Amino acid sequence: MLEIQAGAPAKHLQSGRTPGFLAQTLQRARTAAVPYKIGDVLVGDDPFNGRREGTVVVKNGRSIGICTSDRVYFYDYRQLRRPD
């Protein structure tokens, strides 16, 4: 029987490579490959935020923060495009 001491850190009970590999694969699948970098100039078009042009200042998962002259607006990366 497994005995866990009080105050001792819990150890990972699963052994082998499969759980770690599966966890890494799922993490990569959940994380979107956002094609924009901080400093890129983009145009965002959203019915709630409106159409804004600005520079990327924040990348948080799928959310991108665009800094205009007065504020930072957050868009989903799929609502952004490069200006013409």
Side-chain angles (χ1 to χ4, degrees), residues 45-63:
D45 194 10
D46 180 37
F48 301 106
N49 290 330
R51 186 179 192 132
R52 311 265 188 227
E53 182 174 346
T55 306
V56 176
V57 291
V58 179
K59 281 177 61 174
N60 187 6
R62 292 183 172 183
S63 182

Side-chain angles (χ1 to χ4, degrees), residues 2-76:
L2 180 65
E3 185 176 317
I4 299 175
Q5 302 291 328
K11 294 182 181 177
H12 192 6
L13 298 176
Q14 294 179 343
S15 62
R17 293 182 172 176
T18 305
F21 175 74
L22 183 60
Q24 285 178 344
T25 304
L26 288 174
Q27 181 65 29
R28 274 188 261 146
R30 281 189 219 120
T31 312
V34 178
Y36 307 116
K37 299 180 293 193
I38 292 181
D40 287 350
V41 177
L42 299 174
V43 175
D45 194 10
D46 180 37
F48 301 106
N49 290 330
R51 186 179 192 132
R52 311 265 188 227
E53 182 174 346
T55 306
V56 176
V57 291
V58 179
K59 281 177 61 174
N60 187 6
R62 292 183 172 183
S63 182
I64 303 286
I66 301 249
C67 182
T68 61
S69 60
D70 58 344
R71 302 176 68 162
V72 175
Y73 295 94
F74 286 89
Y75 290 94
D76 188 272

